[in-house]
Amino acid sequence: MKQSENRIKGLGKLKRFAQGSFLFQAEEKAAGFYYVETGEVRVFKMDEQGRELEVARLGPGEFLGEAIAFVSGRFPFYAQVVKDSEISFFETLIVFRRIESDPAVARFFIELLAQKCVALSSRVESLGLRTIRQRLIQYLLAHCYGSGHCLIELKMKKGDLAKLLGTISETLSRGLKQMQEEGLIDVDGRKIHIRDCQKLREDLSA
């Protein structure tokens, strides 16, 4: 944790979670929030038909559920451990006591929540205003650091990537195939070779 985060580190209780287990499920009362020390957590919503929409993937150094916990609400989504993880749990009442006595901690959480609001706004815009193709290109470019071409190795299964992009596996596969036929990318399992990064950027802004 960074220096500001170290002020609250001692307030949390470190727990170990096995792959596939849940930190919490939808409608569960939020008595506190979480901090990912090691491992990975996926956050998703589920409709009445059991279809999932992945909201986020969280890794080491990221908080989860603090906004809901601060208003004593119920979690509106599910949080499932993707691989064996170590995660700290922070009880809301204990954190509130520290906030009341330490302005630096209060400022830290204000900044944290503000950053989450900005990220959420961007996520909503991506899901609501962009096509599946645009979301896919945006994801690829976010992991591309070259100007000519890039080789990206997916850290998740394509089915999980589809959920993250707000679609289904079949639609994602069609999108990848079409982009490959257009000469934009080459796909080999989880490896995606972007043949022309600039052209892909132009496609996104078109």
PDB file of all heavy atoms in Angstrom, residues 90-124:
ATOM      1  N   PHE A  90     -12.359  -4.709   5.788  1.00  0.00           N
ATOM      2  CA  PHE A  90     -12.407  -3.546   6.675  1.00  0.00           C
ATOM      3  C   PHE A  90     -13.833  -3.334   7.164  1.00  0.00           C
ATOM      4  O   PHE A  90     -14.739  -3.081   6.364  1.00  0.00           O
ATOM      5  CB  PHE A  90     -11.927  -2.297   5.938  1.00  0.00           C
ATOM      6  CG  PHE A  90     -10.473  -2.327   5.567  1.00  0.00           C
ATOM      7  CD1 PHE A  90     -10.069  -2.956   4.402  1.00  0.00           C
ATOM      8  CD2 PHE A  90      -9.526  -1.755   6.387  1.00  0.00           C
ATOM      9  CE1 PHE A  90      -8.723  -2.997   4.054  1.00  0.00           C
ATOM     10  CE2 PHE A  90      -8.188  -1.796   6.055  1.00  0.00           C
ATOM     11  CZ  PHE A  90      -7.777  -2.421   4.881  1.00  0.00           C
ATOM     12  N   GLU A  91     -14.030  -3.433   8.471  1.00  0.00           N
ATOM     13  CA  GLU A  91     -15.350  -3.217   9.039  1.00  0.00           C
ATOM     14  C   GLU A  91     -15.659  -1.715   9.018  1.00  0.00           C
ATOM     15  O   GLU A  91     -14.849  -0.893   9.459  1.00  0.00           O
ATOM     16  CB  GLU A  91     -15.402  -3.740  10.462  1.00  0.00           C
ATOM     17  CG  GLU A  91     -16.790  -3.687  11.075  1.00  0.00           C
ATOM     18  CD  GLU A  91     -16.818  -4.287  12.469  1.00  0.00           C
ATOM     19  OE1 GLU A  91     -15.877  -5.017  12.827  1.00  0.00           O
ATOM     20  OE2 GLU A  91     -17.781  -3.997  13.206  1.00  0.00           O
ATOM     21  N   THR A  92     -16.833  -1.363   8.533  1.00  0.00           N
ATOM     22  CA  THR A  92     -17.187   0.038   8.325  1.00  0.00           C
ATOM     23  C   THR A  92     -17.094   0.868   9.606  1.00  0.00           C
ATOM     24  O   THR A  92     -16.534   1.971   9.606  1.00  0.00           O
ATOM     25  CB  THR A  92     -18.616   0.143   7.763  1.00  0.00           C
ATOM     26  OG1 THR A  92     -18.719  -0.665   6.587  1.00  0.00           O
ATOM     27  CG2 THR A  92     -18.939   1.584   7.406  1.00  0.00           C
ATOM     28  N   LEU A  93     -17.616   0.382  10.699  1.00  0.00           N
ATOM     29  CA  LEU A  93     -17.638   1.165  11.938  1.00  0.00           C
ATOM     30  C   LEU A  93     -16.227   1.487  12.425  1.00  0.00           C
ATOM     31  O   LEU A  93     -15.968   2.596  12.907  1.00  0.00           O
ATOM     32  CB  LEU A  93     -18.413   0.408  13.024  1.00  0.00           C
ATOM     33  CG  LEU A  93     -19.924   0.266  12.781  1.00  0.00           C
ATOM     34  CD1 LEU A  93     -20.564  -0.553  13.898  1.00  0.00           C
ATOM     35  CD2 LEU A  93     -20.585   1.641  12.674  1.00  0.00           C
ATOM     36  N   ILE A  94     -15.314   0.544  12.270  1.00  0.00           N
ATOM     37  CA  ILE A  94     -13.931   0.770  12.693  1.00  0.00           C
ATOM     38  C   ILE A  94     -13.283   1.843  11.831  1.00  0.00           C
ATOM     39  O   ILE A  94     -12.570   2.724  12.325  1.00  0.00           O
ATOM     40  CB  ILE A  94     -13.135  -0.539  12.616  1.00  0.00           C
ATOM     41  CG1 ILE A  94     -13.667  -1.543  13.653  1.00  0.00           C
ATOM     42  CG2 ILE A  94     -11.644  -0.286  12.841  1.00  0.00           C
ATOM     43  CD1 ILE A  94     -12.999  -2.895  13.607  1.00  0.00           C
ATOM     44  N   VAL A  95     -13.549   1.800  10.536  1.00  0.00           N
ATOM     45  CA  VAL A  95     -12.988   2.799   9.620  1.00  0.00           C
ATOM     46  C   VAL A  95     -13.572   4.178   9.909  1.00  0.00           C
ATOM     47  O   VAL A  95     -12.860   5.185   9.888  1.00  0.00           O
ATOM     48  CB  VAL A  95     -13.258   2.397   8.157  1.00  0.00           C
ATOM     49  CG1 VAL A  95     -12.812   3.506   7.207  1.00  0.00           C
ATOM     50  CG2 VAL A  95     -12.526   1.099   7.823  1.00  0.00           C
ATOM     51  N   PHE A  96     -14.865   4.250  10.203  1.00  0.00           N
ATOM     52  CA  PHE A  96     -15.492   5.533  10.523  1.00  0.00           C
ATOM     53  C   PHE A  96     -14.832   6.183  11.743  1.00  0.00           C
ATOM     54  O   PHE A  96     -14.636   7.401  11.782  1.00  0.00           O
ATOM     55  CB  PHE A  96     -16.983   5.343  10.781  1.00  0.00           C
ATOM     56  CG  PHE A  96     -17.823   5.382   9.534  1.00  0.00           C
ATOM     57  CD1 PHE A  96     -19.087   4.816   9.513  1.00  0.00           C
ATOM     58  CD2 PHE A  96     -17.368   6.000   8.383  1.00  0.00           C
ATOM     59  CE1 PHE A  96     -19.869   4.857   8.373  1.00  0.00           C
ATOM     60  CE2 PHE A  96     -18.139   6.051   7.234  1.00  0.00           C
ATOM     61  CZ  PHE A  96     -19.396   5.477   7.233  1.00  0.00           C
ATOM     62  N   ARG A  97     -14.501   5.380  12.743  1.00  0.00           N
ATOM     63  CA  ARG A  97     -13.840   5.925  13.934  1.00  0.00           C
ATOM     64  C   ARG A  97     -12.493   6.538  13.575  1.00  0.00           C
ATOM     65  O   ARG A  97     -12.111   7.598  14.084  1.00  0.00           O
ATOM     66  CB  ARG A  97     -13.667   4.833  14.991  1.00  0.00           C
ATOM     67  CG  ARG A  97     -14.971   4.302  15.566  1.00  0.00           C
ATOM     68  CD  ARG A  97     -14.727   3.455  16.799  1.00  0.00           C
ATOM     69  NE  ARG A  97     -15.930   2.753  17.222  1.00  0.00           N
ATOM     70  CZ  ARG A  97     -16.149   1.457  17.017  1.00  0.00           C
ATOM     71  NH1 ARG A  97     -15.222   0.723  16.412  1.00  0.00           N
ATOM     72  NH2 ARG A  97     -17.257   0.884  17.425  1.00  0.00           N
ATOM     73  N   ARG A  98     -11.742   5.876  12.668  1.00  0.00           N
ATOM     74  CA  ARG A  98     -10.446   6.404  12.263  1.00  0.00           C
ATOM     75  C   ARG A  98     -10.617   7.683  11.433  1.00  0.00           C
ATOM     76  O   ARG A  98      -9.847   8.633  11.571  1.00  0.00           O
ATOM     77  CB  ARG A  98      -9.687   5.348  11.464  1.00  0.00           C
ATOM     78  CG  ARG A  98      -8.323   5.823  10.945  1.00  0.00           C
ATOM     79  CD  ARG A  98      -7.385   6.290  12.062  1.00  0.00           C
ATOM     80  NE  ARG A  98      -7.093   5.232  12.990  1.00  0.00           N
ATOM     81  CZ  ARG A  98      -6.071   4.373  12.814  1.00  0.00           C
ATOM     82  NH1 ARG A  98      -5.301   4.474  11.764  1.00  0.00           N
ATOM     83  NH2 ARG A  98      -5.849   3.427  13.711  1.00  0.00           N
ATOM     84  N   ILE A  99     -11.635   7.717  10.595  1.00  0.00           N
ATOM     85  CA  ILE A  99     -11.900   8.910   9.788  1.00  0.00           C
ATOM     86  C   ILE A  99     -12.184  10.115  10.678  1.00  0.00           C
ATOM     87  O   ILE A  99     -11.720  11.227  10.423  1.00  0.00           O
ATOM     88  CB  ILE A  99     -13.090   8.660   8.827  1.00  0.00           C
ATOM     89  CG1 ILE A  99     -12.664   7.711   7.700  1.00  0.00           C
ATOM     90  CG2 ILE A  99     -13.608   9.971   8.240  1.00  0.00           C
ATOM     91  CD1 ILE A  99     -13.790   7.317   6.774  1.00  0.00           C
ATOM     92  N   GLU A 100     -12.944   9.899  11.760  1.00  0.00           N
ATOM     93  CA  GLU A 100     -13.302  10.984  12.669  1.00  0.00           C
ATOM     94  C   GLU A 100     -12.085  11.556  13.396  1.00  0.00           C
ATOM     95  O   GLU A 100     -12.067  12.735  13.757  1.00  0.00           O
ATOM     96  CB  GLU A 100     -14.322  10.491  13.689  1.00  0.00           C
ATOM     97  CG  GLU A 100     -15.699  10.206  13.071  1.00  0.00           C
ATOM     98  CD  GLU A 100     -16.635   9.515  14.054  1.00  0.00           C
ATOM     99  OE1 GLU A 100     -16.161   9.132  15.152  1.00  0.00           O
ATOM    100  OE2 GLU A 100     -17.827   9.347  13.727  1.00  0.00           O
ATOM    101  N   SER A 101     -11.060  10.734  13.575  1.00  0.00           N
ATOM    102  CA  SER A 101      -9.888  11.171  14.338  1.00  0.00           C
ATOM    103  C   SER A 101      -8.696  11.532  13.467  1.00  0.00           C
ATOM    104  O   SER A 101      -7.715  12.095  13.968  1.00  0.00           O
ATOM    105  CB  SER A 101      -9.465  10.066  15.325  1.00  0.00           C
ATOM    106  OG  SER A 101      -9.062   8.890  14.617  1.00  0.00           O
ATOM    107  N   ASP A 102      -8.773  11.222  12.171  1.00  0.00           N
ATOM    108  CA  ASP A 102      -7.620  11.444  11.298  1.00  0.00           C
ATOM    109  C   ASP A 102      -8.079  12.042   9.964  1.00  0.00           C
ATOM    110  O   ASP A 102      -8.546  11.317   9.083  1.00  0.00           O
ATOM    111  CB  ASP A 102      -6.881  10.129  11.064  1.00  0.00           C
ATOM    112  CG  ASP A 102      -5.537  10.316  10.381  1.00  0.00           C
ATOM    113  OD1 ASP A 102      -5.337  11.368   9.740  1.00  0.00           O
ATOM    114  OD2 ASP A 102      -4.687   9.405  10.467  1.00  0.00           O
ATOM    115  N   PRO A 103      -7.951  13.357   9.776  1.00  0.00           N
ATOM    116  CA  PRO A 103      -8.387  14.002   8.530  1.00  0.00           C
ATOM    117  C   PRO A 103      -7.715  13.440   7.281  1.00  0.00           C
ATOM    118  O   PRO A 103      -8.307  13.442   6.199  1.00  0.00           O
ATOM    119  CB  PRO A 103      -7.997  15.474   8.752  1.00  0.00           C
ATOM    120  CG  PRO A 103      -7.966  15.637  10.236  1.00  0.00           C
ATOM    121  CD  PRO A 103      -7.447  14.329  10.764  1.00  0.00           C
ATOM    122  N   ALA A 104      -6.476  12.968   7.411  1.00  0.00           N
ATOM    123  CA  ALA A 104      -5.762  12.417   6.261  1.00  0.00           C
ATOM    124  C   ALA A 104      -6.461  11.171   5.725  1.00  0.00           C
ATOM    125  O   ALA A 104      -6.502  10.929   4.518  1.00  0.00           O
ATOM    126  CB  ALA A 104      -4.322  12.096   6.638  1.00  0.00           C
ATOM    127  N   VAL A 105      -7.015  10.382   6.625  1.00  0.00           N
ATOM    128  CA  VAL A 105      -7.750   9.183   6.214  1.00  0.00           C
ATOM    129  C   VAL A 105      -9.042   9.584   5.516  1.00  0.00           C
ATOM    130  O   VAL A 105      -9.430   8.985   4.501  1.00  0.00           O
ATOM    131  CB  VAL A 105      -8.043   8.272   7.430  1.00  0.00           C
ATOM    132  CG1 VAL A 105      -8.959   7.122   7.031  1.00  0.00           C
ATOM    133  CG2 VAL A 105      -6.744   7.727   7.995  1.00  0.00           C
ATOM    134  N   ALA A 106      -9.708  10.612   6.041  1.00  0.00           N
ATOM    135  CA  ALA A 106     -10.936  11.100   5.412  1.00  0.00           C
ATOM    136  C   ALA A 106     -10.645  11.580   3.989  1.00  0.00           C
ATOM    137  O   ALA A 106     -11.382  11.276   3.046  1.00  0.00           O
ATOM    138  CB  ALA A 106     -11.533  12.235   6.241  1.00  0.00           C
ATOM    139  N   ARG A 107      -9.550  12.308   3.826  1.00  0.00           N
ATOM    140  CA  ARG A 107      -9.187  12.807   2.503  1.00  0.00           C
ATOM    141  C   ARG A 107      -8.866  11.658   1.553  1.00  0.00           C
ATOM    142  O   ARG A 107      -9.231  11.703   0.378  1.00  0.00           O
ATOM    143  CB  ARG A 107      -7.979  13.737   2.616  1.00  0.00           C
ATOM    144  CG  ARG A 107      -7.516  14.291   1.273  1.00  0.00           C
ATOM    145  CD  ARG A 107      -6.372  15.261   1.432  1.00  0.00           C
ATOM    146  NE  ARG A 107      -5.933  15.755   0.130  1.00  0.00           N
ATOM    147  CZ  ARG A 107      -4.962  16.642  -0.035  1.00  0.00           C
ATOM    148  NH1 ARG A 107      -4.327  17.142   1.030  1.00  0.00           N
ATOM    149  NH2 ARG A 107      -4.613  17.038  -1.247  1.00  0.00           N
ATOM    150  N   PHE A 108      -8.201  10.639   2.078  1.00  0.00           N
ATOM    151  CA  PHE A 108      -7.863   9.487   1.240  1.00  0.00           C
ATOM    152  C   PHE A 108      -9.120   8.854   0.655  1.00  0.00           C
ATOM    153  O   PHE A 108      -9.176   8.563  -0.544  1.00  0.00           O
ATOM    154  CB  PHE A 108      -7.098   8.443   2.067  1.00  0.00           C
ATOM    155  CG  PHE A 108      -6.968   7.119   1.389  1.00  0.00           C
ATOM    156  CD1 PHE A 108      -6.077   6.940   0.352  1.00  0.00           C
ATOM    157  CD2 PHE A 108      -7.761   6.048   1.778  1.00  0.00           C
ATOM    158  CE1 PHE A 108      -5.957   5.716  -0.291  1.00  0.00           C
ATOM    159  CE2 PHE A 108      -7.657   4.826   1.138  1.00  0.00           C
ATOM    160  CZ  PHE A 108      -6.751   4.658   0.104  1.00  0.00           C
ATOM    161  N   PHE A 109     -10.146   8.670   1.476  1.00  0.00           N
ATOM    162  CA  PHE A 109     -11.368   8.034   0.991  1.00  0.00           C
ATOM    163  C   PHE A 109     -12.167   8.948   0.071  1.00  0.00           C
ATOM    164  O   PHE A 109     -12.818   8.471  -0.866  1.00  0.00           O
ATOM    165  CB  PHE A 109     -12.216   7.554   2.167  1.00  0.00           C
ATOM    166  CG  PHE A 109     -11.754   6.241   2.732  1.00  0.00           C
ATOM    167  CD1 PHE A 109     -11.183   6.182   3.984  1.00  0.00           C
ATOM    168  CD2 PHE A 109     -11.860   5.080   1.993  1.00  0.00           C
ATOM    169  CE1 PHE A 109     -10.737   4.976   4.499  1.00  0.00           C
ATOM    170  CE2 PHE A 109     -11.418   3.863   2.502  1.00  0.00           C
ATOM    171  CZ  PHE A 109     -10.849   3.815   3.754  1.00  0.00           C
ATOM    172  N   ILE A 110     -12.117  10.252   0.296  1.00  0.00           N
ATOM    173  CA  ILE A 110     -12.778  11.183  -0.609  1.00  0.00           C
ATOM    174  C   ILE A 110     -12.150  11.070  -2.001  1.00  0.00           C
ATOM    175  O   ILE A 110     -12.855  11.002  -3.022  1.00  0.00           O
ATOM    176  CB  ILE A 110     -12.676  12.626  -0.087  1.00  0.00           C
ATOM    177  CG1 ILE A 110     -13.556  12.798   1.160  1.00  0.00           C
ATOM    178  CG2 ILE A 110     -13.107  13.622  -1.175  1.00  0.00           C
ATOM    179  CD1 ILE A 110     -13.392  14.138   1.834  1.00  0.00           C
ATOM    180  N   GLU A 111     -10.826  11.046  -2.054  1.00  0.00           N
ATOM    181  CA  GLU A 111     -10.129  10.929  -3.337  1.00  0.00           C
ATOM    182  C   GLU A 111     -10.402   9.579  -3.986  1.00  0.00           C
ATOM    183  O   GLU A 111     -10.591   9.493  -5.210  1.00  0.00           O
ATOM    184  CB  GLU A 111      -8.627  11.129  -3.125  1.00  0.00           C
ATOM    185  CG  GLU A 111      -8.260  12.551  -2.707  1.00  0.00           C
ATOM    186  CD  GLU A 111      -6.778  12.702  -2.426  1.00  0.00           C
ATOM    187  OE1 GLU A 111      -6.071  11.669  -2.370  1.00  0.00           O
ATOM    188  OE2 GLU A 111      -6.319  13.853  -2.264  1.00  0.00           O
ATOM    189  N   LEU A 112     -10.430   8.530  -3.181  1.00  0.00           N
ATOM    190  CA  LEU A 112     -10.683   7.188  -3.702  1.00  0.00           C
ATOM    191  C   LEU A 112     -12.066   7.101  -4.338  1.00  0.00           C
ATOM    192  O   LEU A 112     -12.229   6.595  -5.458  1.00  0.00           O
ATOM    193  CB  LEU A 112     -10.562   6.155  -2.575  1.00  0.00           C
ATOM    194  CG  LEU A 112     -10.906   4.703  -2.942  1.00  0.00           C
ATOM    195  CD1 LEU A 112      -9.920   4.167  -3.968  1.00  0.00           C
ATOM    196  CD2 LEU A 112     -10.908   3.821  -1.692  1.00  0.00           C
ATOM    197  N   LEU A 113     -13.075   7.627  -3.640  1.00  0.00           N
ATOM    198  CA  LEU A 113     -14.445   7.578  -4.155  1.00  0.00           C
ATOM    199  C   LEU A 113     -14.603   8.458  -5.395  1.00  0.00           C
ATOM    200  O   LEU A 113     -15.342   8.116  -6.324  1.00  0.00           O
ATOM    201  CB  LEU A 113     -15.426   8.007  -3.066  1.00  0.00           C
ATOM    202  CG  LEU A 113     -15.546   7.035  -1.883  1.00  0.00           C
ATOM    203  CD1 LEU A 113     -16.404   7.647  -0.785  1.00  0.00           C
ATOM    204  CD2 LEU A 113     -16.127   5.706  -2.330  1.00  0.00           C
ATOM    205  N   ALA A 114     -13.897   9.578  -5.426  1.00  0.00           N
ATOM    206  CA  ALA A 114     -13.958  10.456  -6.597  1.00  0.00           C
ATOM    207  C   ALA A 114     -13.377   9.739  -7.818  1.00  0.00           C
ATOM    208  O   ALA A 114     -13.927   9.811  -8.924  1.00  0.00           O
ATOM    209  CB  ALA A 114     -13.190  11.749  -6.331  1.00  0.00           C
ATOM    210  N   GLN A 115     -12.275   9.042  -7.634  1.00  0.00           N
ATOM    211  CA  GLN A 115     -11.660   8.291  -8.734  1.00  0.00           C
ATOM    212  C   GLN A 115     -12.593   7.188  -9.227  1.00  0.00           C
ATOM    213  O   GLN A 115     -12.700   6.943 -10.432  1.00  0.00           O
ATOM    214  CB  GLN A 115     -10.334   7.689  -8.266  1.00  0.00           C
ATOM    215  CG  GLN A 115      -9.248   8.716  -8.007  1.00  0.00           C
ATOM    216  CD  GLN A 115      -8.040   8.136  -7.298  1.00  0.00           C
ATOM    217  OE1 GLN A 115      -7.975   6.942  -7.012  1.00  0.00           O
ATOM    218  NE2 GLN A 115      -7.085   8.974  -6.990  1.00  0.00           N
ATOM    219  N   LYS A 116     -13.289   6.542  -8.290  1.00  0.00           N
ATOM    220  CA  LYS A 116     -14.224   5.489  -8.667  1.00  0.00           C
ATOM    221  C   LYS A 116     -15.377   6.074  -9.494  1.00  0.00           C
ATOM    222  O   LYS A 116     -15.849   5.448 -10.436  1.00  0.00           O
ATOM    223  CB  LYS A 116     -14.773   4.800  -7.406  1.00  0.00           C
ATOM    224  CG  LYS A 116     -13.770   3.926  -6.654  1.00  0.00           C
ATOM    225  CD  LYS A 116     -13.488   2.641  -7.409  1.00  0.00           C
ATOM    226  CE  LYS A 116     -12.599   1.694  -6.613  1.00  0.00           C
ATOM    227  NZ  LYS A 116     -13.311   0.996  -5.546  1.00  0.00           N
ATOM    228  N   CYS A 117     -15.840   7.271  -9.126  1.00  0.00           N
ATOM    229  CA  CYS A 117     -16.934   7.906  -9.873  1.00  0.00           C
ATOM    230  C   CYS A 117     -16.515   8.195 -11.306  1.00  0.00           C
ATOM    231  O   CYS A 117     -17.286   7.980 -12.250  1.00  0.00           O
ATOM    232  CB  CYS A 117     -17.351   9.211  -9.187  1.00  0.00           C
ATOM    233  SG  CYS A 117     -18.302   8.979  -7.672  1.00  0.00           S
ATOM    234  N   VAL A 118     -15.292   8.685 -11.488  1.00  0.00           N
ATOM    235  CA  VAL A 118     -14.794   8.976 -12.826  1.00  0.00           C
ATOM    236  C   VAL A 118     -14.686   7.698 -13.648  1.00  0.00           C
ATOM    237  O   VAL A 118     -15.084   7.645 -14.811  1.00  0.00           O
ATOM    238  CB  VAL A 118     -13.420   9.678 -12.755  1.00  0.00           C
ATOM    239  CG1 VAL A 118     -12.808   9.806 -14.147  1.00  0.00           C
ATOM    240  CG2 VAL A 118     -13.556  11.057 -12.119  1.00  0.00           C
ATOM    241  N   ALA A 119     -14.154   6.636 -13.027  1.00  0.00           N
ATOM    242  CA  ALA A 119     -14.004   5.361 -13.725  1.00  0.00           C
ATOM    243  C   ALA A 119     -15.363   4.774 -14.085  1.00  0.00           C
ATOM    244  O   ALA A 119     -15.544   4.217 -15.176  1.00  0.00           O
ATOM    245  CB  ALA A 119     -13.215   4.382 -12.857  1.00  0.00           C
ATOM    246  N   LEU A 120     -16.329   4.901 -13.181  1.00  0.00           N
ATOM    247  CA  LEU A 120     -17.666   4.377 -13.434  1.00  0.00           C
ATOM    248  C   LEU A 120     -18.331   5.125 -14.582  1.00  0.00           C
ATOM    249  O   LEU A 120     -18.988   4.516 -15.432  1.00  0.00           O
ATOM    250  CB  LEU A 120     -18.526   4.492 -12.173  1.00  0.00           C
ATOM    251  CG  LEU A 120     -19.975   4.005 -12.307  1.00  0.00           C
ATOM    252  CD1 LEU A 120     -20.015   2.542 -12.709  1.00  0.00           C
ATOM    253  CD2 LEU A 120     -20.724   4.216 -10.996  1.00  0.00           C
ATOM    254  N   SER A 121     -18.145   6.424 -14.626  1.00  0.00           N
ATOM    255  CA  SER A 121     -18.715   7.219 -15.703  1.00  0.00           C
ATOM    256  C   SER A 121     -18.169   6.776 -17.051  1.00  0.00           C
ATOM    257  O   SER A 121     -18.914   6.650 -18.035  1.00  0.00           O
ATOM    258  CB  SER A 121     -18.399   8.705 -15.474  1.00  0.00           C
ATOM    259  OG  SER A 121     -18.875   9.492 -16.542  1.00  0.00           O
ATOM    260  N   SER A 122     -16.869   6.512 -17.094  1.00  0.00           N
ATOM    261  CA  SER A 122     -16.243   6.043 -18.328  1.00  0.00           C
ATOM    262  C   SER A 122     -16.769   4.677 -18.721  1.00  0.00           C
ATOM    263  O   SER A 122     -17.013   4.400 -19.903  1.00  0.00           O
ATOM    264  CB  SER A 122     -14.721   5.995 -18.143  1.00  0.00           C
ATOM    265  OG  SER A 122     -14.079   5.481 -19.285  1.00  0.00           O
ATOM    266  N   ARG A 123     -16.963   3.809 -17.719  1.00  0.00           N
ATOM    267  CA  ARG A 123     -17.469   2.459 -17.974  1.00  0.00           C
ATOM    268  C   ARG A 123     -18.895   2.506 -18.524  1.00  0.00           C
ATOM    269  O   ARG A 123     -19.230   1.804 -19.472  1.00  0.00           O
ATOM    270  CB  ARG A 123     -17.431   1.666 -16.663  1.00  0.00           C
ATOM    271  CG  ARG A 123     -18.079   0.292 -16.685  1.00  0.00           C
ATOM    272  CD  ARG A 123     -17.289  -0.693 -17.477  1.00  0.00           C
ATOM    273  NE  ARG A 123     -17.798  -2.046 -17.286  1.00  0.00           N
ATOM    274  CZ  ARG A 123     -17.616  -3.031 -18.147  1.00  0.00           C
ATOM    275  NH1 ARG A 123     -16.929  -2.843 -19.251  1.00  0.00           N
ATOM    276  NH2 ARG A 123     -18.112  -4.239 -17.901  1.00  0.00           N
ATOM    277  N   VAL A 124     -19.747   3.338 -17.924  1.00  0.00           N
ATOM    278  CA  VAL A 124     -21.127   3.467 -18.383  1.00  0.00           C
ATOM    279  C   VAL A 124     -21.169   3.983 -19.818  1.00  0.00           C
ATOM    280  O   VAL A 124     -21.941   3.506 -20.651  1.00  0.00           O
ATOM    281  CB  VAL A 124     -21.924   4.415 -17.450  1.00  0.00           C
ATOM    282  CG1 VAL A 124     -23.274   4.743 -18.053  1.00  0.00           C
ATOM    283  CG2 VAL A 124     -22.113   3.766 -16.086  1.00  0.00           C
TER     284      VAL A 124
END
